[in-house]
Amino acid sequence: MKRRTLLAGSMGLAGLAVAGCSTDTGGSPGGDVDINDTEMEATIEFAAWESDFAWDAVIAGFNKHYPKITVQMTKSPFKEFFTRLQTQASGNNLPDAFMMNGPNFQLYASNDKLVGYDKAVEAGDLDLGNYPEAMADLYTYEGTPYGIPTSYDSIGLWYNEEIFGKAGVDVPTAEWTWEDLHATAKEISDKLKGEGIYGFAGGAYNQELFYNLIFQAGGAVLNEDSTQAQYSSEGSREALQFLRDMVVDGSSPTIQTTADTSPDELFKSGKAAMVYGGSFRVKGYADSAVGEVIQVVPLPMGKQRGVVLHGGAVVASADSDNRDAAAAFAVYTGSEEAQQIIGESGASIPAFKGTEQAYIDARPQWDLGIFPESAEEYGFPYPVSANTQAWLQVESDMVPKILAGDLSVEEGTTQLDERINALLAEEKK
């Protein structure tokens, strides 16, 4: 496998590529792990970001199968998690097992930092068919699976029934289109302007907003092999123009407004009738002031149905002195048993097919079944490359300018592609 420098300086990863993997397995890093010895003895560190996941219960379940492996969990806030992880990777001191997300995954996999599971799949210890295809693909690099999916996120249209009633308009349905969304948002904004209520809380958010619209318009963020940006494609431009138009006519707040107060917070405070929100928003919405007057439906349709699919995984360090134990724990977190525990917490949709019902049942007041259903029927994988975080910084700089009207959609997407293509070219060096 070719090593990559991956803009190490800009990512704070100096030394990651040169540190490499301590053991040459002759195949994928850590590919010789054996997870079948249930009597193995080890103490491993599991690093997780702070969330509502019932990790303590998962660890207890794991210990019923591997009673002599002690799992010591460390947690840190999500905004600090990957900075800390990068520092550990540069010092060749990664935790034995740790959580991973899509934007950071390939950076670690391409630098031989993760245990690969080819042999576990061949031995029947791991069946990737148990997970949504988009999730299995997200944590596979150059044909080798490195991450065990633990949960996934889908996006829905959340709406406030009380605001709809006040405005005297019909609530959203599963048959809504972009045109329905825009027209209704405009009507609510116009009728309730005096109360400071918007019809739709938009903003410049990728996973929960414009990626979905891009896919629905037949556009793309990256090409199939992640070597070229596609923001200037016809569908991508159409999606961004749609959002720009909603800002211009007041259907949605200004981009500065949603930068100061997130769409999620506007919705929870009753200042927006609708918002595109992830399945992971459930607890926050339930605990909010609007928790008893909201509902969720599938995203409105563009030229086609589409929803971006992302989620977390647990990975094992290829440099761990206890790779077998770390890999056994990672595989267990993706098992049906562990996934049932995760689902019952209501924090996110468990990735193992058939365990979604636990997540749905955790909040019976809402039609949460729309999340796994949409993911299965028309989910698109979250766009990633070997150094996703580098070009996401460009995206987060440029897209708000486009939606705010500082740049035209045509000019802005052209510049966006040019800047991101330069970064993607660096990944191949």
Side-chain angles (χ1 to χ4, degrees):
M1 181 182 295
K2 181 180 178 181
R3 298 272 170 87
R4 298 170 176 170
T5 57
L6 300 183
L7 307 178
S10 66
M11 290 294 290
L13 289 174
L16 176 55
V18 296
C21 179
S22 62
T23 304
D24 182 3
T25 65
S28 60
D32 59 348
V33 290
D34 179 8
I35 66 173
N36 291 306
D37 181 7
T38 58
E39 294 299 313
M40 70 175 96
E41 297 184 33
T43 296
I44 62 172
E45 178 188 359
F46 168 53
W49 58 73
E50 292 177 353
S51 69
D52 296 317
F53 277 32
W55 284 122
D56 288 335
V58 171
I59 291 170
F62 171 70
N63 284 141
K64 292 179 181 178
H65 301 274
Y66 295 87
K68 297 180 181 178
I69 298 177
T70 299
V71 180
Q72 297 177 338
M73 180 170 56
T74 57
K75 288 186 177 182
S76 56
F78 180 80
K79 65 180 181 179
E80 301 172 8
F81 183 82
F82 286 101
T83 300
R84 182 177 182 182
L85 205 63
Q86 290 160 10
T87 300
Q88 293 171 317
S90 297
N92 210 27
N93 189 35
L94 282 168
D96 302 288
F98 49 99
M99 292 183 72
M100 180 53 63
N101 71 355
N104 287 280
F105 164 68
Q106 289 194 23
L107 184 63
Y108 290 83
S110 66
N111 281 286
D112 295 354
K113 286 295 180 180
L114 307 179
V115 166
Y117 292 99
D118 281 332
K119 291 187 177 179
V121 172
E122 292 172 4
D125 297 325
L126 175 65
D127 182 1
L128 297 177
N130 287 326
Y131 312 103
E133 183 178 359
M135 282 299 298
D137 290 347
L138 185 62
Y139 291 105
T140 296
Y141 179 72
E142 294 188 348
T144 294
Y146 290 95
I148 310 299
T150 55
S151 65
Y152 68 90
D153 313 321
S154 184
I155 313 299
L157 174 64
W158 292 86
Y159 64 92
N160 185 314
E161 295 173 309
E162 190 172 80
I163 294 177
F164 270 80
K166 183 182 296 186
V169 295
D170 293 334
V171 299
T173 70
E175 287 71 44
W176 261 27
T177 64
W178 286 11
E179 289 73 21
D180 295 315
L181 172 66
H182 192 172
T184 304
K186 181 70 166 68
E187 183 175 359
I188 292 175
S189 290
D190 288 346
K191 288 184 174 180
L192 302 181
K193 183 177 181 179
E195 300 180 43
I197 295 175
Y198 291 93
F200 180 69
Y205 293 78
N206 54 18
Q207 180 189 352
E208 288 187 276
L209 185 57
F210 64 81
Y211 280 176
N212 300 282
L213 295 170
I214 285 174
F215 295 140
Q216 290 169 4
V221 177
L222 303 176
N223 62 359
E224 288 189 7
D225 60 1
S226 300
T227 58
Q228 294 285 320
Q230 301 284 295
Y231 292 89
S232 58
S233 65
E234 180 180 354
S236 299
R237 284 177 169 173
E238 182 180 347
L240 295 176
Q241 187 64 57
F242 176 77
L243 292 175
R244 172 62 188 150
D245 291 344
M246 293 187 76
V247 172
V248 169
D249 70 11
S251 301
S252 180
T254 66
I255 298 305
Q256 186 59 55
T257 297
T258 50
D260 294 338
T261 305
S262 71
D264 174 57
E265 289 301 322
L266 287 171
F267 183 70
K268 289 193 295 185
S269 64
K271 291 301 182 181
M274 295 178 284
V275 69
Y276 278 20
S279 51
F280 50 85
R281 297 286 186 190
V282 166
K283 187 178 187 303
Y285 287 168
D287 295 340
S288 74
V290 300
E292 295 184 0
V293 295
I294 60 176
Q295 190 50 264
V296 64
V297 294
L299 294 181
M301 184 172 65
K303 292 180 180 177
Q304 62 183 10
R305 292 284 186 185
V307 63
V308 68
L309 188 61
H310 181 258
V314 173
V315 297
S317 170
D319 294 331
S320 170
D321 291 334
N322 295 297
R323 286 188 306 174
D324 289 350
F329 176 70
V331 170
Y332 175 77
T333 65
S335 69
E336 183 174 10
E337 178 178 297
Q339 295 282 285
Q340 189 72 24
I341 296 171
I342 290 173
E344 289 170 356
S345 72
S348 193
I349 308 170
F352 195 102
K353 292 180 181 179
T355 61
E356 304 93 339
Q357 196 60 44
Y359 165 81
I360 296 169
D361 291 345
R363 304 287 180 181
Q365 68 269 40
W366 297 325
D367 185 14
L368 299 185
I370 67 107
F371 290 115
E373 289 168 8
S374 62
E376 180 68 24
E377 293 175 17
Y378 44 84
F380 285 79
Y382 187 97
V384 294
S385 70
N387 195 6
T388 309
Q389 288 294 348
W391 57 262
L392 280 181
Q393 293 176 18
V394 176
E395 181 189 86
S396 65
D397 173 54
M398 294 289 294
V399 170
K401 294 177 181 177
I402 295 170
L403 299 183
D406 298 335
L407 293 168
S408 69
V409 171
E410 182 176 358
E411 179 184 4
T413 53
T414 298
Q415 291 183 23
L416 190 55
D417 279 357
E418 289 174 353
R419 290 179 61 183
I420 291 178
N421 285 342
L423 295 174
L424 293 174
E426 288 291 327
E427 294 181 359
K428 304 302 177 183
K429 292 182 178 179

